[in-house]
Amino acid sequence: DIQMTQSPSSLSASVGDRVTITCRASQSISSYLNWYQQKPGKAPKVLIYGSSSLQSGVPSRFSGSGSGTDFTLTISSLQREDVATYYCQQSYTNLRRTFGQGTKVEIK
Amino acid sequence: EVQLVESGGGLVQPGGSLRLSCAASGFTFSSHDMHWVRQATGKGLEWVSAIGTAGDTYYSGSVKGRFTLSREKAKNSLYLQMDSLRAGDTAVYYCARGNSSGYYYDYWGQGTLVTVSS
């Protein structure tokens, strides 16, 4: 099974800061990497799919990059409404999926 | 409007069974892969199972042999039969739709809570 490792597990940043979250796959997954945002008590929602494609309706301050085994989610200017937990997910293996362990983002 | 509504959660004793349902509406159910994802309280997301448009099924190692996923196209419904339940299966279970390419989830249900406890 493909393992996904995110870092850091949590971070605290100020409004307006640039925030970067990384995700590493245990084997190459090409660009089959998605990012989800989950707010407390809510279902997750997709932000980025295919490593770098922005889902419709998602603010442009969110961006994704990477291929192979190393990926990054960047929030260019952190806003208060971005407080949430972020998960990466690989979709390389037919319908089997794996999530990273999550990164909790808080405001300093 | 796409909607996914889970039901069937509740309290069950260890070793017991439960069947979760996910009622889909607002899209052509037979044209999309469907998945179950669970989340224990305060923990991360865990992929559980998936069913393809051809009826092919996939399971995580932690539930394989105990859970059975099926879909009833005539009722636009997804079912997760959970047997031999353990305390570690306690979680909110989400139904999620694979997008048209199948590579990410574009819609999720609100979740249904399963508690395995004596």
Side-chain angles (χ1 to χ4, degrees):
Chain A
D1 289 0
I2 299 175
Q3 309 302 317
M4 307 301 293
T5 304
Q6 276 182 245
S7 61
S9 55
S10 66
L11 66 88
S12 181
S14 300
V15 171
D17 281 355
R18 183 181 184 89
V19 168
T20 299
I21 299 168
T22 63
C23 179
R24 174 164 289 177
S26 60
Q27 67 180 72
S28 177
I29 57 171
S30 185
S31 295
Y32 295 98
L33 191 284
N34 310 310
W35 291 97
Y36 296 86
Q37 176 193 64
Q38 186 181 33
K39 296 186 177 181
K42 301 291 187 181
K45 75 167 196 176
V46 65
L47 300 175
I48 302 287
Y49 61 92
S51 176
S52 61
S53 296
L54 191 69
Q55 174 71 341
S56 176
V58 173
S60 60
R61 62 180 178 274
F62 291 94
S63 65
S65 65
S67 67
T69 60
D70 294 314
F71 302 87
T72 300
L73 173 70
T74 300
I75 308 173
S76 61
S77 178
L78 186 68
Q79 303 300 305
R80 292 196 176 276
E81 59 265 32
D82 300 334
V83 169
T85 301
Y86 295 83
Y87 296 91
C88 63
Q89 179 208 37
Q90 66 81 17
S91 55
Y92 180 75
T93 47
N94 46 34
L95 292 186
R96 298 185 183 281
R97 302 287 180 260
T98 320
F99 289 94
Q101 77 274 23
T103 296
K104 187 174 184 178
V105 174
E106 298 177 322
I107 299 291
K108 192 181 294 182
Chain B
E1 179 193 4
V2 172
Q3 283 197 318
L4 299 171
V5 179
E6 301 96 335
S7 61
L11 175 64
V12 62
Q13 292 189 340
S17 297
L18 213 53
R19 188 176 88 150
L20 304 184
S21 300
C22 172
S25 61
F27 66 100
T28 305
F29 181 65
S30 59
S31 297
H32 289 262
D33 306 325
M34 298 296 297
H35 295 244
W36 287 95
V37 174
R38 69 184 180 184
Q39 185 171 39
T41 302
K43 303 296 184 183
L45 302 171
E46 180 188 10
W47 176 79
V48 174
S49 183
I51 187 165
T53 56
D56 44 319
T57 54
Y58 305 84
Y59 301 92
S60 69
S62 61
V63 308
K64 191 171 185 178
R66 301 187 298 122
F67 290 13
T68 304
L69 181 57
S70 61
R71 66 195 301 169
E72 187 170 355
K73 294 180 181 179
K75 292 189 174 182
N76 286 347
S77 291
L78 186 70
Y79 305 107
L80 185 66
Q81 177 67 40
M82 304 187 297
D83 298 321
S84 302
L85 283 162
R86 307 165 179 167
D89 297 318
T90 295
V92 172
Y93 284 71
Y94 293 102
C95 166
R97 187 184 89 161
N99 80 308
S100 56
S101 70
Y103 292 123
Y104 63 92
Y105 306 145
D106 55 0
Y107 288 93
W108 297 66
Q110 82 289 349
T112 186
L113 176 62
V114 171
T115 303
V116 183
S117 174
S118 54

